[in-house]
Amino acid sequence: MTAPVKVLFVCLGNICRSPSAEGVFRQVVQQAGLDDRITIDSCGTGNWHVGKGPDSRAIAAARKRGIDIAPLRARQFDSEDLDRFDHVLVMDRQNLADVRDVWRQNGGTEPVLFLQFGSSGYEEVPDPYYGGEHGFEHVLDLINEASEGLLQHIREQLA
Ligand code: 4NP
């Protein structure tokens, strides 16, 4: 059996977008029966929320779709993540710039915008932190669509 493919989602705070992506992608992977082939984690470029659980609005929105992200705890991105993970998916251009700065120094896996695996026309997952409830539904829709594309991409690698 080959080693699992390791996937990391990165946003700013690791309390809204990337834990949502971790939960949604885990569900997509489980439904495909590939949980033993793909490992999934998330982190944030910032350190404000380290050790905290996801935003209550993100937990509620995910729960409505049968996904429990409440047990997740925020951690900060580390340069070693670029050595440990095979795919580093960032949520917006600022995350991309921040992680690319580290990648230029460190090497390893090059970060890419997560939504490049979707076809919604959006390039960035908008930060819902200062928005209303609706923002979190939109985030989940974008993440869900890109998750299907990412899984397809990884399936081709696994084949
Ligand atoms: P996230 O959202 O990057 O999707 O987790 C944010 C959460 C917190 C903050 C910013 C974005 N903040 O500034 O505290």
Side-chain angles (χ1 to χ4, degrees):
M1 185 76 148
T2 49
V5 174
K6 295 188 183 135
V7 175
L8 180 66
F9 296 102
V10 186
C11 64
L12 177 59
N14 194 210
I15 58 167
C16 297
R17 293 166 294 174
S18 62
S20 299
E22 179 178 346
V24 167
F25 191 59
R26 180 161 289 126
Q27 186 189 55
V28 166
V29 164
Q30 274 169 0
Q31 284 169 351
L34 290 171
D35 0 359
D36 58 342
R37 307 290 305 275
I38 302 173
T39 62
I40 307 160
D41 193 13
S42 67
C43 64
T45 57
N47 66 359
W48 312 282
H49 303 285
V50 168
K52 302 268 170 56
D55 186 287
S56 58
R57 297 164 297 173
I59 292 174
R63 188 168 284 144
K64 279 204 267 176
R65 301 184 187 207
I67 298 168
D68 181 17
I69 62 169
L72 300 180
R73 291 295 173 264
R75 74 167 178 90
Q76 191 171 21
F77 170 76
D78 184 277
S79 61
E80 287 184 6
D81 286 324
L82 299 179
D83 304 321
R84 281 202 294 264
F85 288 89
D86 304 301
H87 296 277
V88 176
L89 292 322
V90 302
M91 299 295 142
D92 65 28
R93 292 186 186 290
Q94 185 60 55
N95 308 147
L96 186 62
D98 292 341
V99 177
R100 275 187 78 88
D101 279 348
V102 177
W103 173 73
R104 277 194 206 92
Q105 300 284 324
N106 178 90
T109 298
E110 185 175 359
V112 297
L113 286 166
F114 178 36
L115 294 192
Q116 77 174 43
F117 290 101
S119 54
S120 62
Y122 281 81
E123 293 194 338
E124 304 183 289
V125 182
D127 188 345
Y129 189 61
Y130 296 107
E133 205 82 354
H134 175 70
F136 285 84
E137 297 298 335
H138 183 47
V139 160
L140 287 175
D141 290 342
L142 291 171
I143 284 172
N144 199 59
E145 211 234 356
S147 290
E148 299 288 351
L150 176 62
L151 180 62
Q152 187 56 37
H153 175 77
I154 293 175
R155 269 184 193 282
E156 284 158 19
Q157 281 189 315
L158 288 170

